[in-house]
Amino acid sequence: MDKRIDELMEKIKSSIPRKSYLALMDEDGKIHYNNFHSGLNGLIRNFAPAIKTLDVGDYQIKNYAKTCLIIYKVSERLALLAESYVKEGLLIFTIKNIAENLKDQFIELDILLMFLDMAKEEKEAKITEQLV
């Protein structure tokens, strides 16, 4: 699964402006990909509640001194986070285009991650039953 995520994110990285950082996170705060710099690296989990409130295609912008961050909901459970030194409008336009062009891949990835989570929960439940 990590290879699939890395391939998708490499495709995205080639489409965004230089000096941009990316993360792929689900609404529970699980980070599936992250190349953020250390300044925001520890903070991106704090954006998970915002992801839960967004509909697919919605986004939120956070402006910082020299950069802006977009949280863009790309599927039912996944959001693409991008921070960049480019102007806010350009970042929004770029991320919207990426989300549109890779929509099927994000949906497929979301479904695969959901099944993996379900399998993990089932395995944990069986282990718990055996211990009781």
Side-chain angles (χ1 to χ4, degrees):
M1 179 56 70
D2 290 340
K3 184 179 177 186
R4 272 186 115 139
I5 292 171
D6 287 343
E7 287 173 357
L8 177 61
M9 298 309 286
E10 285 301 317
K11 200 181 288 188
I12 293 169
K13 281 180 10 185
S14 69
S15 303
I16 61 172
R18 291 177 152 210
K19 288 191 172 184
S20 296
Y21 304 95
L22 292 171
L24 184 67
M25 184 168 66
D26 65 30
E27 60 187 20
D28 295 325
K30 184 174 181 186
I31 299 168
H32 300 282
Y33 177 88
N34 179 12
N35 77 345
F36 270 73
H37 58 85
S38 59
L40 270 179
N41 198 13
L43 299 175
I44 60 175
R45 273 196 175 86
N46 296 337
F47 300 125
I51 295 170
K52 287 184 179 183
T53 65
L54 298 174
D55 290 327
V56 176
D58 288 349
Y59 61 91
Q60 286 187 1
I61 296 286
K62 306 281 184 195
N63 289 300
Y64 298 101
K66 295 182 180 182
T67 64
C68 65
L69 170 83
I70 185 170
I71 304 163
Y72 194 97
K73 186 101 174 235
V74 293
S75 69
E76 287 299 319
R77 300 178 337 131
L78 295 174
L80 183 62
L81 288 76
E83 181 193 27
S84 184
Y85 289 87
V86 300
K87 292 186 179 192
E88 180 181 308
L90 178 59
L91 185 59
I92 293 168
F93 177 78
T94 302
I95 297 301
K96 276 185 165 186
N97 280 337
I98 289 168
E100 175 99 11
N101 291 333
L102 300 174
K103 183 168 94 174
D104 292 340
Q105 289 173 297
F106 283 122
I107 291 169
E108 181 181 312
L109 182 60
D110 192 349
I111 292 168
L112 288 171
L113 290 169
M114 182 178 63
F115 281 120
L116 285 175
D117 288 346
M118 288 170 52
K120 182 180 175 186
E121 288 173 8
E122 187 176 306
K123 182 178 180 182
E124 289 172 356
K126 286 181 181 179
I127 291 170
T128 305
E129 286 175 9
Q130 290 173 354
L131 293 175
V132 174

